[in-house]
Amino acid sequence: MKKEKTWHEDDSFWETVNDVMFTRNRMDITPAEIDRVLNILRVEENAHILDLCCGVGRHSIELARRGYKITGIDRTRSYLDRAKQSAMEENLTNIEFIEADMRTFCSPDTFDAVINLYTSFGYFEDPEDDKRVLQNIHKSLRAGGNLLLEMMGKEVLARIFQRTRWHEEEDGTLILQESRVCEGFSWIENRWIIIKGGKRADFRVDHRLYSAKELTTLITECGFMGFEVYGDLERSPYDEKAKRLIVVAWK
Ligand SMILES: C[S@@+](CC[C@H](N)C(=O)[O-])C[C@H]1O[C@@H](n2cnc3c(N)ncnc32)[C@H](O)[C@@H]1O
């Protein structure tokens, strides 16, 4: 029997959330995010950086503008088309976008740094798949290379959790969300209802929840030599005021 596609393998999900995920505001804050990312990574001027799950390429493009050699990987073809178009419009030649699955993409000893931003990790029901992703990243880094992961951490979520919430985008799109933490606080089930122009779309957006300890244990098991944990991209401590879970690990 053919297995039903989960939300992250469903093109119609990514196409529907395109406008709500990559809003004008989110695109506008990208250069400031990259300032912080570079401040953490401290890569050489000619570094080769992998943007794993690059989406529409907002971070990839900004890094390429600053002269880095960039490879952007994503599974969603329409996002990659948009990313390629943006790179072409700016005549950026130091950038490539490849359609690939993070579970299988591996390019041994190629990158000086890997970034995985905006909760693009933990999508798979089988925890071994997350491990595979980190093992591939580890193999793909050169010796001394760095990984930066940025996501919603379990401790942060526990502090700010709301069972239901809604908001309205600038263009009037309504987003209604209902969440349930399950499997001993290791998984979150989210129901999203998106109402745009009188049309309604329903999605499930479920993913694994990592505490800082769980994520850094996994990272260590995957061969990384060391790590640091922060509560935002400004390198604030991961404490009771943390906004996000940031892990930087090195090979
Ligand atoms: C939340 S978006 C973040 C995009 C980008 N990092 C950003 O900050 O703008 C998650 C991205 O992961 C991609 N993705 C989901 N599953 C994937 C997989 N198995 N392999 C590669 N990319 C995947 C989606 O297509 C989407 O672009």
Side-chain angles (χ1 to χ4, degrees), residues 36 40 149-153 155-156 159 212 228-248:
R36 295 179 192 125
I40 295 177
L149 288 167
E150 185 263 341
M151 67 187 75
M152 174 53 69
E155 297 87 343
V156 180
R159 193 188 71 226
E228 272 164 11
V229 179
Y230 302 112
D232 58 31
L233 286 173
E234 265 138 6
R235 291 196 285 183
S236 304
Y238 192 71
D239 60 13
E240 75 283 358
K241 293 193 285 296
K243 297 186 194 90
R244 303 285 287 173
L245 169 57
I246 318 288
V247 174
V248 188

PDB file of all heavy atoms in Angstrom, residues 36 40 149-153 155-156 159 212 228-248:
ATOM      1  N   ARG A  36      24.007  38.334  12.133  1.00  0.00           N
ATOM      2  CA  ARG A  36      24.154  37.576  13.395  1.00  0.00           C
ATOM      3  C   ARG A  36      24.709  36.184  13.144  1.00  0.00           C
ATOM      4  O   ARG A  36      25.560  35.694  13.896  1.00  0.00           O
ATOM      5  CB  ARG A  36      22.810  37.499  14.114  1.00  0.00           C
ATOM      6  CG  ARG A  36      22.332  38.867  14.549  1.00  0.00           C
ATOM      7  CD  ARG A  36      20.992  38.824  15.241  1.00  0.00           C
ATOM      8  NE  ARG A  36      20.500  40.186  15.362  1.00  0.00           N
ATOM      9  CZ  ARG A  36      19.326  40.615  14.925  1.00  0.00           C
ATOM     10  NH1 ARG A  36      18.479  39.775  14.354  1.00  0.00           N
ATOM     11  NH2 ARG A  36      18.968  41.870  15.069  1.00  0.00           N
ATOM     12  N   ILE A  40      28.274  34.570  14.554  1.00  0.00           N
ATOM     13  CA  ILE A  40      28.412  33.304  15.286  1.00  0.00           C
ATOM     14  C   ILE A  40      29.384  32.374  14.556  1.00  0.00           C
ATOM     15  O   ILE A  40      30.261  31.762  15.172  1.00  0.00           O
ATOM     16  CB  ILE A  40      27.035  32.598  15.440  1.00  0.00           C
ATOM     17  CG1 ILE A  40      26.098  33.433  16.311  1.00  0.00           C
ATOM     18  CG2 ILE A  40      27.204  31.204  16.037  1.00  0.00           C
ATOM     19  CD1 ILE A  40      24.688  32.854  16.461  1.00  0.00           C
ATOM     20  N   LEU A 149      22.229  25.419  13.822  1.00  0.00           N
ATOM     21  CA  LEU A 149      20.809  25.034  13.785  1.00  0.00           C
ATOM     22  C   LEU A 149      20.008  26.067  14.575  1.00  0.00           C
ATOM     23  O   LEU A 149      20.425  26.451  15.678  1.00  0.00           O
ATOM     24  CB  LEU A 149      20.604  23.682  14.468  1.00  0.00           C
ATOM     25  CG  LEU A 149      21.096  22.399  13.792  1.00  0.00           C
ATOM     26  CD1 LEU A 149      21.052  21.260  14.803  1.00  0.00           C
ATOM     27  CD2 LEU A 149      20.251  22.045  12.586  1.00  0.00           C
ATOM     28  N   GLU A 150      18.861  26.481  14.016  1.00  0.00           N
ATOM     29  CA  GLU A 150      18.026  27.471  14.713  1.00  0.00           C
ATOM     30  C   GLU A 150      16.581  26.999  14.658  1.00  0.00           C
ATOM     31  O   GLU A 150      16.055  26.751  13.575  1.00  0.00           O
ATOM     32  CB  GLU A 150      18.190  28.836  14.019  1.00  0.00           C
ATOM     33  CG  GLU A 150      17.482  29.984  14.699  1.00  0.00           C
ATOM     34  CD  GLU A 150      16.122  30.308  14.100  1.00  0.00           C
ATOM     35  OE1 GLU A 150      15.840  29.921  12.950  1.00  0.00           O
ATOM     36  OE2 GLU A 150      15.329  30.919  14.805  1.00  0.00           O
ATOM     37  N   MET A 151      15.968  26.807  15.805  1.00  0.00           N
ATOM     38  CA  MET A 151      14.599  26.257  15.839  1.00  0.00           C
ATOM     39  C   MET A 151      13.862  26.667  17.123  1.00  0.00           C
ATOM     40  O   MET A 151      14.461  27.273  18.022  1.00  0.00           O
ATOM     41  CB  MET A 151      14.655  24.727  15.750  1.00  0.00           C
ATOM     42  CG  MET A 151      15.287  24.071  16.964  1.00  0.00           C
ATOM     43  SD  MET A 151      15.527  22.300  16.745  1.00  0.00           S
ATOM     44  CE  MET A 151      16.929  22.269  15.638  1.00  0.00           C
ATOM     45  N   MET A 152      12.599  26.288  17.194  1.00  0.00           N
ATOM     46  CA  MET A 152      11.838  26.460  18.429  1.00  0.00           C
ATOM     47  C   MET A 152      12.254  25.343  19.392  1.00  0.00           C
ATOM     48  O   MET A 152      12.086  24.165  19.075  1.00  0.00           O
ATOM     49  CB  MET A 152      10.338  26.366  18.104  1.00  0.00           C
ATOM     50  CG  MET A 152       9.421  26.390  19.313  1.00  0.00           C
ATOM     51  SD  MET A 152       9.679  27.775  20.413  1.00  0.00           S
ATOM     52  CE  MET A 152       9.084  29.135  19.408  1.00  0.00           C
ATOM     53  N   GLY A 153      12.833  25.705  20.520  1.00  0.00           N
ATOM     54  CA  GLY A 153      13.287  24.705  21.489  1.00  0.00           C
ATOM     55  C   GLY A 153      12.138  24.277  22.396  1.00  0.00           C
ATOM     56  O   GLY A 153      11.181  25.016  22.615  1.00  0.00           O
ATOM     57  N   GLU A 155      12.079  23.843  25.615  1.00  0.00           N
ATOM     58  CA  GLU A 155      11.947  24.633  26.841  1.00  0.00           C
ATOM     59  C   GLU A 155      11.233  25.958  26.567  1.00  0.00           C
ATOM     60  O   GLU A 155      10.445  26.442  27.388  1.00  0.00           O
ATOM     61  CB  GLU A 155      13.332  24.930  27.455  1.00  0.00           C
ATOM     62  CG  GLU A 155      14.114  23.702  27.914  1.00  0.00           C
ATOM     63  CD  GLU A 155      14.969  23.057  26.816  1.00  0.00           C
ATOM     64  OE1 GLU A 155      14.739  23.334  25.619  1.00  0.00           O
ATOM     65  OE2 GLU A 155      15.871  22.273  27.164  1.00  0.00           O
ATOM     66  N   VAL A 156      11.533  26.543  25.395  1.00  0.00           N
ATOM     67  CA  VAL A 156      10.910  27.824  25.023  1.00  0.00           C
ATOM     68  C   VAL A 156       9.412  27.600  24.791  1.00  0.00           C
ATOM     69  O   VAL A 156       8.564  28.348  25.294  1.00  0.00           O
ATOM     70  CB  VAL A 156      11.569  28.410  23.744  1.00  0.00           C
ATOM     71  CG1 VAL A 156      10.920  29.736  23.366  1.00  0.00           C
ATOM     72  CG2 VAL A 156      13.075  28.579  23.937  1.00  0.00           C
ATOM     73  N   ARG A 159       7.297  27.289  27.793  1.00  0.00           N
ATOM     74  CA  ARG A 159       7.035  28.564  28.475  1.00  0.00           C
ATOM     75  C   ARG A 159       5.945  29.384  27.783  1.00  0.00           C
ATOM     76  O   ARG A 159       5.144  30.035  28.450  1.00  0.00           O
ATOM     77  CB  ARG A 159       8.344  29.371  28.536  1.00  0.00           C
ATOM     78  CG  ARG A 159       8.290  30.555  29.482  1.00  0.00           C
ATOM     79  CD  ARG A 159       9.537  31.413  29.350  1.00  0.00           C
ATOM     80  NE  ARG A 159       9.542  32.138  28.098  1.00  0.00           N
ATOM     81  CZ  ARG A 159      10.593  32.229  27.276  1.00  0.00           C
ATOM     82  NH1 ARG A 159      11.733  31.642  27.570  1.00  0.00           N
ATOM     83  NH2 ARG A 159      10.510  32.914  26.162  1.00  0.00           N
ATOM     84  N   ALA A 212      17.489  21.425  24.535  1.00  0.00           N
ATOM     85  CA  ALA A 212      18.895  21.691  24.206  1.00  0.00           C
ATOM     86  C   ALA A 212      19.734  20.442  24.473  1.00  0.00           C
ATOM     87  O   ALA A 212      20.602  20.067  23.683  1.00  0.00           O
ATOM     88  CB  ALA A 212      19.396  22.870  25.037  1.00  0.00           C
ATOM     89  N   GLU A 228      28.005  24.808  21.171  1.00  0.00           N
ATOM     90  CA  GLU A 228      27.559  25.875  22.068  1.00  0.00           C
ATOM     91  C   GLU A 228      26.066  26.053  21.870  1.00  0.00           C
ATOM     92  O   GLU A 228      25.570  25.813  20.767  1.00  0.00           O
ATOM     93  CB  GLU A 228      28.298  27.178  21.753  1.00  0.00           C
ATOM     94  CG  GLU A 228      29.592  27.279  22.528  1.00  0.00           C
ATOM     95  CD  GLU A 228      30.543  28.332  21.989  1.00  0.00           C
ATOM     96  OE1 GLU A 228      30.133  29.131  21.136  1.00  0.00           O
ATOM     97  OE2 GLU A 228      31.698  28.318  22.423  1.00  0.00           O
ATOM     98  N   VAL A 229      25.380  26.462  22.915  1.00  0.00           N
ATOM     99  CA  VAL A 229      23.919  26.627  22.835  1.00  0.00           C
ATOM    100  C   VAL A 229      23.584  28.071  23.188  1.00  0.00           C
ATOM    101  O   VAL A 229      24.114  28.622  24.153  1.00  0.00           O
ATOM    102  CB  VAL A 229      23.214  25.674  23.837  1.00  0.00           C
ATOM    103  CG1 VAL A 229      21.706  25.842  23.775  1.00  0.00           C
ATOM    104  CG2 VAL A 229      23.579  24.223  23.548  1.00  0.00           C
ATOM    105  N   TYR A 230      22.700  28.694  22.391  1.00  0.00           N
ATOM    106  CA  TYR A 230      22.271  30.073  22.652  1.00  0.00           C
ATOM    107  C   TYR A 230      20.751  30.169  22.630  1.00  0.00           C
ATOM    108  O   TYR A 230      20.072  29.306  22.073  1.00  0.00           O
ATOM    109  CB  TYR A 230      22.834  31.021  21.586  1.00  0.00           C
ATOM    110  CG  TYR A 230      24.340  31.005  21.483  1.00  0.00           C
ATOM    111  CD1 TYR A 230      24.957  30.493  20.345  1.00  0.00           C
ATOM    112  CD2 TYR A 230      25.127  31.501  22.508  1.00  0.00           C
ATOM    113  CE1 TYR A 230      26.340  30.470  20.232  1.00  0.00           C
ATOM    114  CE2 TYR A 230      26.506  31.487  22.407  1.00  0.00           C
ATOM    115  CZ  TYR A 230      27.113  30.964  21.268  1.00  0.00           C
ATOM    116  OH  TYR A 230      28.467  30.943  21.172  1.00  0.00           O
ATOM    117  N   GLY A 231      20.249  31.298  23.170  1.00  0.00           N
ATOM    118  CA  GLY A 231      18.799  31.516  23.230  1.00  0.00           C
ATOM    119  C   GLY A 231      18.277  32.426  22.132  1.00  0.00           C
ATOM    120  O   GLY A 231      17.070  32.665  22.034  1.00  0.00           O
ATOM    121  N   ASP A 232      19.183  32.977  21.310  1.00  0.00           N
ATOM    122  CA  ASP A 232      18.805  33.722  20.103  1.00  0.00           C
ATOM    123  C   ASP A 232      20.070  33.914  19.268  1.00  0.00           C
ATOM    124  O   ASP A 232      21.165  33.502  19.674  1.00  0.00           O
ATOM    125  CB  ASP A 232      18.116  35.065  20.435  1.00  0.00           C
ATOM    126  CG  ASP A 232      18.981  35.980  21.293  1.00  0.00           C
ATOM    127  OD1 ASP A 232      20.218  35.914  21.155  1.00  0.00           O
ATOM    128  OD2 ASP A 232      18.438  36.755  22.081  1.00  0.00           O
ATOM    129  N   LEU A 233      19.906  34.550  18.111  1.00  0.00           N
ATOM    130  CA  LEU A 233      21.068  34.692  17.224  1.00  0.00           C
ATOM    131  C   LEU A 233      22.039  35.762  17.726  1.00  0.00           C
ATOM    132  O   LEU A 233      23.102  35.960  17.148  1.00  0.00           O
ATOM    133  CB  LEU A 233      20.612  35.012  15.787  1.00  0.00           C
ATOM    134  CG  LEU A 233      20.003  33.845  14.997  1.00  0.00           C
ATOM    135  CD1 LEU A 233      19.449  34.330  13.659  1.00  0.00           C
ATOM    136  CD2 LEU A 233      21.005  32.712  14.761  1.00  0.00           C
ATOM    137  N   GLU A 234      21.634  36.484  18.801  1.00  0.00           N
ATOM    138  CA  GLU A 234      22.566  37.450  19.403  1.00  0.00           C
ATOM    139  C   GLU A 234      23.440  36.798  20.473  1.00  0.00           C
ATOM    140  O   GLU A 234      24.159  37.474  21.189  1.00  0.00           O
ATOM    141  CB  GLU A 234      21.799  38.626  19.991  1.00  0.00           C
ATOM    142  CG  GLU A 234      21.715  39.776  19.020  1.00  0.00           C
ATOM    143  CD  GLU A 234      20.348  40.429  19.000  1.00  0.00           C
ATOM    144  OE1 GLU A 234      19.495  40.061  19.829  1.00  0.00           O
ATOM    145  OE2 GLU A 234      20.137  41.280  18.129  1.00  0.00           O
ATOM    146  N   ARG A 235      23.380  35.494  20.549  1.00  0.00           N
ATOM    147  CA  ARG A 235      24.178  34.692  21.485  1.00  0.00           C
ATOM    148  C   ARG A 235      23.802  34.924  22.959  1.00  0.00           C
ATOM    149  O   ARG A 235      24.655  34.854  23.852  1.00  0.00           O
ATOM    150  CB  ARG A 235      25.685  34.917  21.268  1.00  0.00           C
ATOM    151  CG  ARG A 235      26.128  34.338  19.951  1.00  0.00           C
ATOM    152  CD  ARG A 235      27.617  34.205  19.874  1.00  0.00           C
ATOM    153  NE  ARG A 235      28.240  35.493  19.674  1.00  0.00           N
ATOM    154  CZ  ARG A 235      29.539  35.688  19.519  1.00  0.00           C
ATOM    155  NH1 ARG A 235      30.354  34.652  19.561  1.00  0.00           N
ATOM    156  NH2 ARG A 235      30.032  36.874  19.332  1.00  0.00           N
ATOM    157  N   SER A 236      22.519  35.230  23.194  1.00  0.00           N
ATOM    158  CA  SER A 236      22.038  35.317  24.578  1.00  0.00           C
ATOM    159  C   SER A 236      22.042  33.898  25.144  1.00  0.00           C
ATOM    160  O   SER A 236      21.941  32.934  24.381  1.00  0.00           O
ATOM    161  CB  SER A 236      20.605  35.854  24.624  1.00  0.00           C
ATOM    162  OG  SER A 236      20.536  37.087  23.966  1.00  0.00           O
ATOM    163  N   PRO A 237      22.132  33.769  26.469  1.00  0.00           N
ATOM    164  CA  PRO A 237      22.141  32.414  27.045  1.00  0.00           C
ATOM    165  C   PRO A 237      20.822  31.679  26.786  1.00  0.00           C
ATOM    166  O   PRO A 237      19.777  32.308  26.628  1.00  0.00           O
ATOM    167  CB  PRO A 237      22.345  32.659  28.542  1.00  0.00           C
ATOM    168  CG  PRO A 237      22.176  34.105  28.765  1.00  0.00           C
ATOM    169  CD  PRO A 237      22.282  34.827  27.463  1.00  0.00           C
ATOM    170  N   TYR A 238      20.913  30.349  26.723  1.00  0.00           N
ATOM    171  CA  TYR A 238      19.692  29.533  26.600  1.00  0.00           C
ATOM    172  C   TYR A 238      19.174  29.307  28.014  1.00  0.00           C
ATOM    173  O   TYR A 238      19.491  28.310  28.657  1.00  0.00           O
ATOM    174  CB  TYR A 238      19.995  28.213  25.884  1.00  0.00           C
ATOM    175  CG  TYR A 238      18.733  27.476  25.468  1.00  0.00           C
ATOM    176  CD1 TYR A 238      17.935  27.951  24.434  1.00  0.00           C
ATOM    177  CD2 TYR A 238      18.326  26.316  26.108  1.00  0.00           C
ATOM    178  CE1 TYR A 238      16.773  27.301  24.043  1.00  0.00           C
ATOM    179  CE2 TYR A 238      17.171  25.652  25.724  1.00  0.00           C
ATOM    180  CZ  TYR A 238      16.397  26.152  24.692  1.00  0.00           C
ATOM    181  OH  TYR A 238      15.239  25.493  24.306  1.00  0.00           O
ATOM    182  N   ASP A 239      18.383  30.302  28.488  1.00  0.00           N
ATOM    183  CA  ASP A 239      17.874  30.216  29.852  1.00  0.00           C
ATOM    184  C   ASP A 239      16.373  30.495  29.840  1.00  0.00           C
ATOM    185  O   ASP A 239      15.731  30.377  28.794  1.00  0.00           O
ATOM    186  CB  ASP A 239      18.650  31.176  30.775  1.00  0.00           C
ATOM    187  CG  ASP A 239      18.527  32.638  30.308  1.00  0.00           C
ATOM    188  OD1 ASP A 239      17.666  32.928  29.458  1.00  0.00           O
ATOM    189  OD2 ASP A 239      19.294  33.481  30.804  1.00  0.00           O
ATOM    190  N   GLU A 240      15.835  30.904  30.974  1.00  0.00           N
ATOM    191  CA  GLU A 240      14.375  31.079  31.069  1.00  0.00           C
ATOM    192  C   GLU A 240      13.844  32.195  30.166  1.00  0.00           C
ATOM    193  O   GLU A 240      12.637  32.296  29.950  1.00  0.00           O
ATOM    194  CB  GLU A 240      13.957  31.280  32.542  1.00  0.00           C
ATOM    195  CG  GLU A 240      14.262  32.640  33.152  1.00  0.00           C
ATOM    196  CD  GLU A 240      15.733  32.839  33.530  1.00  0.00           C
ATOM    197  OE1 GLU A 240      16.534  31.896  33.358  1.00  0.00           O
ATOM    198  OE2 GLU A 240      16.082  33.956  33.977  1.00  0.00           O
ATOM    199  N   LYS A 241      14.748  33.037  29.600  1.00  0.00           N
ATOM    200  CA  LYS A 241      14.292  34.123  28.721  1.00  0.00           C
ATOM    201  C   LYS A 241      14.539  33.800  27.238  1.00  0.00           C
ATOM    202  O   LYS A 241      14.275  34.619  26.366  1.00  0.00           O
ATOM    203  CB  LYS A 241      15.022  35.419  29.083  1.00  0.00           C
ATOM    204  CG  LYS A 241      14.646  35.962  30.460  1.00  0.00           C
ATOM    205  CD  LYS A 241      15.113  37.364  30.682  1.00  0.00           C
ATOM    206  CE  LYS A 241      16.597  37.505  30.941  1.00  0.00           C
ATOM    207  NZ  LYS A 241      17.151  36.893  32.127  1.00  0.00           N
ATOM    208  N   ALA A 242      15.055  32.604  26.954  1.00  0.00           N
ATOM    209  CA  ALA A 242      15.422  32.262  25.564  1.00  0.00           C
ATOM    210  C   ALA A 242      14.224  32.395  24.623  1.00  0.00           C
ATOM    211  O   ALA A 242      13.096  32.085  24.991  1.00  0.00           O
ATOM    212  CB  ALA A 242      15.953  30.833  25.517  1.00  0.00           C
ATOM    213  N   LYS A 243      14.532  32.879  23.400  1.00  0.00           N
ATOM    214  CA  LYS A 243      13.450  33.022  22.401  1.00  0.00           C
ATOM    215  C   LYS A 243      13.458  31.851  21.427  1.00  0.00           C
ATOM    216  O   LYS A 243      12.433  31.456  20.896  1.00  0.00           O
ATOM    217  CB  LYS A 243      13.658  34.310  21.602  1.00  0.00           C
ATOM    218  CG  LYS A 243      13.591  35.579  22.440  1.00  0.00           C
ATOM    219  CD  LYS A 243      13.651  36.812  21.527  1.00  0.00           C
ATOM    220  CE  LYS A 243      13.926  38.069  22.313  1.00  0.00           C
ATOM    221  NZ  LYS A 243      15.365  38.348  22.447  1.00  0.00           N
ATOM    222  N   ARG A 244      14.631  31.328  21.127  1.00  0.00           N
ATOM    223  CA  ARG A 244      14.803  30.240  20.165  1.00  0.00           C
ATOM    224  C   ARG A 244      15.877  29.305  20.710  1.00  0.00           C
ATOM    225  O   ARG A 244      16.585  29.654  21.655  1.00  0.00           O
ATOM    226  CB  ARG A 244      15.274  30.799  18.806  1.00  0.00           C
ATOM    227  CG  ARG A 244      14.360  31.851  18.207  1.00  0.00           C
ATOM    228  CD  ARG A 244      13.099  31.292  17.634  1.00  0.00           C
ATOM    229  NE  ARG A 244      13.312  30.570  16.397  1.00  0.00           N
ATOM    230  CZ  ARG A 244      12.364  29.866  15.780  1.00  0.00           C
ATOM    231  NH1 ARG A 244      11.151  29.776  16.288  1.00  0.00           N
ATOM    232  NH2 ARG A 244      12.610  29.221  14.658  1.00  0.00           N
ATOM    233  N   LEU A 245      15.995  28.138  20.081  1.00  0.00           N
ATOM    234  CA  LEU A 245      17.107  27.238  20.424  1.00  0.00           C
ATOM    235  C   LEU A 245      18.119  27.298  19.278  1.00  0.00           C
ATOM    236  O   LEU A 245      17.791  26.958  18.137  1.00  0.00           O
ATOM    237  CB  LEU A 245      16.581  25.811  20.605  1.00  0.00           C
ATOM    238  CG  LEU A 245      17.630  24.691  20.708  1.00  0.00           C
ATOM    239  CD1 LEU A 245      18.612  24.939  21.855  1.00  0.00           C
ATOM    240  CD2 LEU A 245      16.946  23.337  20.903  1.00  0.00           C
ATOM    241  N   ILE A 246      19.317  27.775  19.596  1.00  0.00           N
ATOM    242  CA  ILE A 246      20.387  27.871  18.600  1.00  0.00           C
ATOM    243  C   ILE A 246      21.502  26.927  19.056  1.00  0.00           C
ATOM    244  O   ILE A 246      21.977  27.042  20.191  1.00  0.00           O
ATOM    245  CB  ILE A 246      21.009  29.297  18.540  1.00  0.00           C
ATOM    246  CG1 ILE A 246      19.954  30.402  18.618  1.00  0.00           C
ATOM    247  CG2 ILE A 246      21.972  29.441  17.364  1.00  0.00           C
ATOM    248  CD1 ILE A 246      19.108  30.593  17.434  1.00  0.00           C
ATOM    249  N   VAL A 247      21.907  26.030  18.177  1.00  0.00           N
ATOM    250  CA  VAL A 247      23.063  25.178  18.489  1.00  0.00           C
ATOM    251  C   VAL A 247      24.114  25.385  17.405  1.00  0.00           C
ATOM    252  O   VAL A 247      23.798  25.320  16.212  1.00  0.00           O
ATOM    253  CB  VAL A 247      22.673  23.687  18.593  1.00  0.00           C
ATOM    254  CG1 VAL A 247      23.915  22.822  18.779  1.00  0.00           C
ATOM    255  CG2 VAL A 247      21.720  23.459  19.749  1.00  0.00           C
ATOM    256  N   VAL A 248      25.322  25.691  17.838  1.00  0.00           N
ATOM    257  CA  VAL A 248      26.457  25.763  16.916  1.00  0.00           C
ATOM    258  C   VAL A 248      27.363  24.598  17.287  1.00  0.00           C
ATOM    259  O   VAL A 248      27.723  24.434  18.455  1.00  0.00           O
ATOM    260  CB  VAL A 248      27.260  27.064  17.098  1.00  0.00           C
ATOM    261  CG1 VAL A 248      28.304  27.195  16.005  1.00  0.00           C
ATOM    262  CG2 VAL A 248      26.349  28.256  17.095  1.00  0.00           C
TER     263      VAL A 248
END
